[in-house]
Amino acid sequence: MVEVHSKAPKTREAVSLDNCDKEPIHIPGNIQSFAVLIATDAKLGVITYCSDNAADFFGDPAENILGKSLTDILDREIIHNLNNVLCLSSVRVQRERVTTVERGGVTFEIWAHLSGDTPVLEFEKVQEKEMARSEAVLMVRSLLGRLGGAANIENMLNEAVIGLRSLSGFDRVMLYQFDQDGDGEVKAEARGPQLVSFLNHRFPKWDIPQQARDMLLKVPLRLIADVQSVPVPLLQHAADAPPLDMSLAASRGQSPIHNQYLKNMDVNSTMTLSIIVEGALWGMFSFHNATAHHVGPSLRGASELFAQFFSLQMEQRIQNNRNIARAKALEQQSVLMAATDSATSLTQLIENIAAPFCELVNAEGLAIISPSSVSLYGHTPDENMARAIGTVMLAQADETVVTTQSLKDYGFEASPIGGAMGIVINQDQRYEFLFFRNEVLQSTLWAGAPEKQIIDNEGTPRLMPRGSFETYIKKMDDMSPPWEPFDIVAAGEIRKTILRADAALARRLSSKEERQRSIYIAELNHRVRNILALIRSLSRRAKESSHSLESYAKALEQRITALGAAHDLAANQISSGVSITEIFETEVKPYKQIANNTLVLTGEKFVLKPEIAPIFALITHELMTNCVKYGAFSVPDGNLHIDVKGEKNGITITWEESGGPVLDPPTRRGFGLGLIENAIPYEMDGDSEVQFLPEGLKVKFWLPKEIVTPLTEALNVKKLERKSSQSLKSMTPENVLVVEDSMMVAIDMAEMLRSLGVAHVDTCATVAQAKRSIETKRPDFAVLDINLRNEKSFEVAQMLREKNVPFCFATGYGSAYPIPETLQDELRLTKPVDLNTLSSTLKKLYR
């Protein structure tokens, strides 16, 4: 049985948007009145299309021109120039100037392009006061120079709109940037007092339909000289001829919907310049004038040239921001790569640099999610919520960065966390990153209420242009600031960095696995032999201090049990050490009923090295046994206080009993007392002091810092502290030797090294100078020119090798230059050496 799924009908709103997107703006069937337009067959023979205002140029009405040969209405020289222009490949993507002619005292410029295979000619009047082409280009050149010196993107945008308003003469020029959703925002504005300001106002995406956006990509400049003027119909020779595609025509007629939109804004002339970055529509310059305003072809050409160079500058600025992101990510990559030598998992690897990663994408918190754990840094939801957000947000994600300004978009309740950005790091192991931003109350300015106005036109819903552009303030909560393109680029670089570190970690763990296995077996054998020796010693000592077989068996069993408990703790905490507090608690367990109200454990928490734990547990066992038999726990009112105190070079442990029987110092040293007094100095390089006081036994141990460390709570999900990450600078050599016989090359190399963070650079021109320099002060790194006038630097290289100093060769002879076999593996740089090459070389060699 075949299951049939019916498609849900489109909403009225969706249909209206579809209809708006289908408006045939490329074939309006009319032109604007500032030009005359004709089109011919592919061979420049018969005139097939002609605008109804043909008489403005030809002196004859359009009806008389249609069907004629081009040679009948144009001079031979014009046709010659036209043929030359149509040979250019560019005429398929833009208009090209043919020539300038005089007709009836009026100057016309003739422009041509191809619409498919159809030649299209436009005859445009040149206004008397129109700026000369050379003057316009010089103004654009000056403006571009100013933009190049702008301190940041914001200043660059402001300089651009001010300059374009001065250049074009429009009342208002706005720079309008599109966001990821297609909405736009006015980022910069220059205007006269007669027009209202739209600075920082947003415009909904449906103000510019999709086919209009496609046209902005195809034709970067669009002029509507007079919104109120009557369109000029385009007539055709053949009744069944298809409409002429006028996408590239400067005089292409305007959309009635767009015209109404402009009228609603009280705008009577407009021009747009597209800003295209990396092949996509980044934004546009929008020009408005309160009255009709014609911009001639020379100024339009200069403006279009400006837009192209501006787009390149914007692309460069964005690329510079990306490079900054990459550099910061690479800085952390160096830290990550160095950490792979000790890390055992990707999560452990990343935790130390959570803070700089958050700073890189302007986030307040980070969740690192793996199949087995969640690690949280900064301001985040709890572990369960973080995992749930990752599951929903990244359900369909592979290498894509997923962002949201509001977690409500994914069905999560409002919280102090506003938005999130998620990345899948590793598909197989399913490591996920979630960056979080706090919510902020936002007041967004809209140019008019961003609601669609839909009417029925002949039974079809149509989206109408908005009638009001008065400032509309929309307040939004439960949202974070938007994730900017720079943040997304930085997230992508973070992902690449972590993948490289993960691969390095996997290689290291794989290569070390076999070595570690043999080490573990050897260590196991060593420990088993030590334990067997210790048990044999316990057996002998128990025999000496026992008066019967029963007491001997009991004492030996208790001591072996204490050892077993210590080994359980060591096995469970082998990576982090054994908690001293847990050893005390384990030994007191059998006497919990006695110690319940009388044992006090105070002080700081520390862990012992696992190999020390068994002997320390045995000492604790002897103390506890004596306490129960003869000391504080042998009477109902006795008390035991154990205190652990950290000091500069180690820790002091105080065992203090009170309220028990009065103890006299023993007349002989048994096993227990001997163990307490001797094991600490002998096994742990510490000190012990035993005092038999009237109020009870008091024992003080001092253990060195080499065998103890502060205890940190080990949790499956933990809040990570902000840790200062190792910077790239700390991975840079402090002292570098440059051996180079060219003074200028040596100076240049020294300058580049200093820019990379090198504190001191020593330059030498000969082998003798270099050897003296190395003997005087061992460098951290060296760059050796192979050919030093009449000698080679190989002797210096061998000397550096003997001193374990990393170095590289630099040569102008390329990689084929013969090098001694013992030095074949050393890196070679080909002159001239640039900064990037030098930087990457330092990262390879200096670790």
Side-chain angles (χ1 to χ4, degrees):
M1 181 177 181
V2 179
E3 188 176 357
V4 178
H5 297 277
S6 61
K7 212 172 188 180
K10 284 189 175 182
T11 64
R12 189 165 178 265
E13 177 181 301
V15 171
S16 69
L17 288 173
D18 284 349
N19 290 333
C20 192
D21 286 342
K22 292 175 183 176
E23 185 185 4
I25 60 174
H26 62 300
I27 50 171
N30 57 66
I31 66 167
Q32 300 179 61
S33 58
F34 63 78
V36 172
L37 183 145
I38 65 171
T40 73
D41 59 17
K43 295 182 179 180
L44 292 178
V46 177
I47 298 172
T48 53
Y49 298 86
C50 182
S51 58
D52 199 30
N53 61 348
D56 291 352
F57 180 82
F58 296 105
D60 279 337
E63 293 84 354
N64 293 345
I65 292 173
L66 284 169
K68 282 188 175 181
S69 171
L70 197 62
T71 57
D72 294 337
I73 61 171
L74 290 178
D75 297 340
R76 181 179 298 177
E77 185 177 351
I78 296 175
I79 295 176
H80 171 75
N81 291 341
L82 176 61
N83 274 300
N84 288 338
V85 166
L86 293 178
C87 290
L88 302 174
S89 59
S90 58
V91 292
R92 293 190 176 275
V93 293
Q94 65 183 24
R95 301 190 322 151
E96 294 291 351
R97 184 173 174 275
V98 177
T99 188
T100 302
V101 296
E102 294 282 341
R103 288 292 173 93
V106 178
T107 303
F108 286 84
E109 283 194 354
I110 304 175
W111 295 77
H113 69 272
L114 287 176
S115 175
D117 291 326
T118 300
V120 178
L121 282 72
E122 290 178 279
F123 305 84
E124 187 173 345
K125 294 178 183 178
V126 178
Q127 306 292 333
E128 290 182 7
K129 296 181 181 180
E130 184 183 340
M131 187 182 298
R133 183 173 290 102
S134 57
E135 184 183 355
V137 170
L138 285 174
M139 286 189 68
V140 164
R141 179 176 177 274
S142 176
L143 177 55
L144 288 170
R146 286 181 60 85
L147 297 185
N152 50 48
I153 289 180
E154 183 180 359
N155 289 354
M156 178 180 166
L157 304 186
N158 287 328
E159 291 277 1
V161 293
I162 292 170
L164 283 176
R165 181 167 182 259
S166 174
L167 179 70
S168 66
F170 276 89
D171 294 331
R172 176 172 57 211
V173 178
M174 302 179 293
L175 187 144
Y176 181 93
Q177 182 185 353
F178 298 114
D179 64 17
Q180 295 179 64
D181 297 327
D183 293 337
E185 182 176 351
V186 178
K187 296 289 188 178
E189 179 186 63
R191 64 182 178 90
Q194 69 273 35
L195 293 183
V196 299
S197 173
F198 287 122
L199 184 62
N200 298 324
H201 284 54
R202 295 181 64 81
F203 291 76
K205 61 183 177 183
W206 54 82
D207 275 4
I208 305 176
Q210 186 56 49
Q211 89 281 21
R213 294 171 191 257
D214 294 341
M215 189 68 79
L216 286 168
L217 269 174
K218 187 176 181 180
V219 185
L221 184 144
R222 170 69 165 150
L223 170 69
I224 299 177
D226 188 354
V227 171
Q228 306 293 340
S229 68
V230 178
V232 179
L234 184 67
L235 308 181
Q236 57 195 50
H237 180 55
D240 58 351
L244 179 64
D245 185 335
M246 291 188 284
S247 297
L248 301 181
S251 59
R252 170 168 49 89
Q254 58 264 44
S255 156
I257 296 176
H258 187 209
N259 254 24
Q260 187 59 53
Y261 182 91
L262 294 169
K263 289 175 181 177
N264 293 346
M265 291 185 77
D266 295 325
V267 171
N268 278 297
S269 179
T270 184
M271 186 170 74
T272 58
L273 282 174
S274 304
I275 304 171
I276 300 169
V277 174
E278 295 179 338
L281 190 63
W282 183 89
M284 66 179 185
F285 292 103
S286 184
F287 300 70
H288 288 166
N289 214 63
T291 60
H293 183 62
H294 179 264
V295 178
S298 294
L299 184 52
R300 292 204 308 273
S303 300
E304 190 171 349
L305 186 66
F306 168 83
Q308 291 172 356
F309 277 97
F310 178 87
S311 296
L312 289 174
Q313 286 196 17
M314 179 59 68
E315 189 169 315
Q316 185 179 32
R317 297 265 181 163
I318 292 171
Q319 188 61 48
N320 287 343
N321 285 343
R322 285 182 184 165
N323 290 338
I324 292 170
R326 289 192 181 102
K328 290 182 177 179
L330 284 173
E331 183 177 326
Q332 302 312 319
Q333 183 177 323
S334 300
V335 179
L336 281 177
M337 290 302 185
T340 56
D341 290 338
S342 58
T344 57
S345 70
L346 184 60
T347 299
Q348 182 187 357
L349 197 62
I350 298 166
E351 287 176 354
N352 290 339
I353 58 170
F357 276 170
C358 283
E359 290 169 9
L360 194 56
V361 297
N362 299 308
E364 280 81 29
L366 168 64
I368 306 168
I369 303 171
S370 74
S372 59
S373 67
V374 177
S375 295
L376 303 175
Y377 165 81
H379 193 198
T380 67
D382 62 40
E383 56 163 307
N384 294 326
M385 179 65 75
R387 190 178 286 280
I389 292 169
T391 300
V392 176
M393 274 190 72
L394 301 174
Q396 305 298 325
D398 40 29
E399 297 184 4
T400 306
V401 178
V402 181
T403 65
T404 180
Q405 279 187 261
S406 176
L407 291 174
K408 280 187 172 181
D409 295 343
Y410 288 92
F412 294 99
E413 291 297 322
S415 73
I417 304 298
M421 175 166 63
I423 326 166
V424 177
I425 301 296
N426 187 310
Q427 281 286 7
D428 296 331
Q429 299 177 18
R430 201 61 189 182
Y431 269 92
E432 299 170 352
F433 260 37
L434 284 178
F435 290 100
F436 295 100
R437 281 182 178 174
N438 295 338
E439 68 172 355
V440 291
L441 183 63
Q442 298 184 64
S443 296
T444 307
L445 302 178
W446 289 85
E451 277 86 34
K452 304 179 185 71
Q453 300 178 33
I454 302 170
I455 64 167
D456 285 315
N457 183 10
E458 298 179 356
T460 301
R462 294 277 182 182
L463 185 65
M464 292 299 294
R466 291 182 295 128
S468 172
F469 293 88
E470 292 185 7
T471 299
Y472 174 86
I473 301 176
K474 186 176 182 180
K475 293 186 177 181
M476 297 174 290
D477 55 9
D478 302 322
M479 295 187 73
S480 72
W483 299 94
E484 301 293 344
F486 176 78
D487 301 319
I488 297 169
V489 169
E493 293 302 319
I494 287 172
R495 182 178 184 275
K496 292 176 187 175
T497 294
I498 295 170
L499 283 174
R500 293 188 188 104
D502 188 27
L505 177 64
R507 287 193 298 271
R508 182 188 67 82
L509 293 178
S510 176
S511 63
K512 290 181 70 174
E513 189 175 326
E514 288 300 322
R515 295 199 306 272
Q516 287 178 340
R517 185 179 289 112
S518 61
I519 292 170
Y520 289 154
I521 292 172
E523 179 68 14
L524 179 61
N525 288 333
H526 170 72
R527 292 197 181 191
V528 168
R529 289 178 183 275
N530 283 348
I531 290 297
L532 290 174
L534 181 57
I535 291 175
R536 184 173 64 178
S537 176
L538 289 177
S539 176
R540 289 175 178 173
R541 296 294 184 181
K543 180 181 177 181
E544 293 172 1
S545 60
S546 298
H547 304 290
S548 66
L549 182 61
E550 183 180 352
S551 63
Y552 164 72
K554 185 175 181 181
L556 181 60
E557 181 181 356
Q558 288 177 345
R559 287 165 181 165
I560 291 175
T561 300
L563 283 176
H567 274 281
D568 283 344
L569 290 173
N572 291 332
Q573 303 175 34
I574 192 167
S575 63
S576 58
V578 182
S579 166
I580 293 174
T581 302
E582 286 190 38
I583 292 177
F584 287 135
E585 291 173 344
T586 300
E587 286 303 321
V588 85
K589 266 184 184 178
Y591 316 107
K592 189 173 182 182
Q593 189 172 0
I594 299 173
N596 212 19
N597 297 316
T598 54
L599 172 64
V600 178
L601 285 170
T602 61
E604 303 165 57
K605 293 185 177 182
F606 288 85
V607 295
L608 286 168
K609 285 187 174 181
E611 60 267 26
I612 300 297
I615 195 70
F616 187 83
L618 198 57
I619 294 169
T620 306
H621 169 74
E622 294 301 323
L623 285 169
M624 188 59 67
T625 301
N626 287 333
C627 181
V628 171
K629 282 184 177 182
Y630 314 113
F633 283 1
S634 66
V635 297
D637 297 328
N639 297 290
L640 171 61
H641 179 203
I642 303 173
D643 181 65
V644 182
K645 183 180 180 182
E647 297 177 350
K648 183 178 180 181
N649 296 317
I651 63 169
T652 297
I653 303 172
T654 303
W655 176 290
E656 193 168 9
E657 299 179 25
S658 61
V662 176
L663 298 176
D664 295 323
T667 56
R668 58 181 289 272
R669 288 290 190 267
F671 171 75
L673 184 57
L675 182 70
I676 294 166
E677 289 180 328
N678 298 320
I680 296 293
Y682 188 83
E683 296 282 351
M684 306 180 195
D685 199 22
D687 291 323
S688 63
E689 180 186 358
V690 181
Q691 295 176 282
F692 292 90
L693 303 176
E695 57 270 24
L697 179 69
K698 183 174 182 179
V699 182
K700 291 186 75 173
F701 302 130
W702 178 82
L703 303 180
K705 64 180 181 180
E706 286 76 16
I707 64 170
V708 294
T709 53
L711 176 69
T712 54
E713 296 295 334
L715 299 175
N716 185 38
V717 179
K718 51 189 176 290
K719 289 283 181 180
L720 308 176
E721 296 177 356
R722 291 183 180 266
K723 299 180 181 177
S724 59
S725 60
Q726 187 179 12
S727 68
L728 182 60
K729 188 174 181 180
S730 66
M731 298 293 292
T732 303
E734 185 175 358
N735 299 296
V736 173
L737 171 66
V738 175
V739 182
E740 170 61 61
D741 60 350
S742 169
M743 182 185 71
M744 294 308 297
V745 173
I747 292 172
D748 187 45
M749 183 71 72
E751 287 291 334
M752 287 193 289
L753 287 164
R754 291 189 189 100
S755 73
L756 292 172
V758 175
H760 178 74
V761 181
D762 189 14
T763 59
C764 299
T766 66
V767 169
Q769 288 176 351
K771 290 170 69 175
R772 285 197 299 271
S773 176
I774 295 168
E775 290 294 349
T776 303
K777 185 175 184 180
R778 179 186 179 276
D780 300 317
F781 177 72
V783 181
L784 310 180
D785 183 16
I786 293 178
N787 292 277
L788 301 172
R789 297 174 186 163
N790 298 320
E791 54 187 351
K792 304 289 187 293
S793 63
F794 300 141
E795 188 178 350
V796 180
Q798 294 290 2
M799 187 177 182
L800 291 170
R801 266 203 171 180
E802 291 169 5
K803 293 181 178 293
N804 293 320
V805 176
F807 65 90
C808 67
F809 288 117
T811 176
Y813 290 95
S815 59
Y817 191 88
I819 287 180
E821 189 174 346
T822 56
L823 300 172
Q824 287 286 335
D825 295 332
E826 300 296 340
L827 276 178
R828 270 179 271 184
L829 308 181
T830 302
K831 294 181 180 179
V833 180
D834 60 26
L835 184 63
N836 290 334
T837 302
L838 192 58
S839 175
S840 62
T841 302
L842 286 179
K843 291 171 188 174
K844 289 177 184 176
L845 293 178
Y846 189 79
R847 299 199 179 278

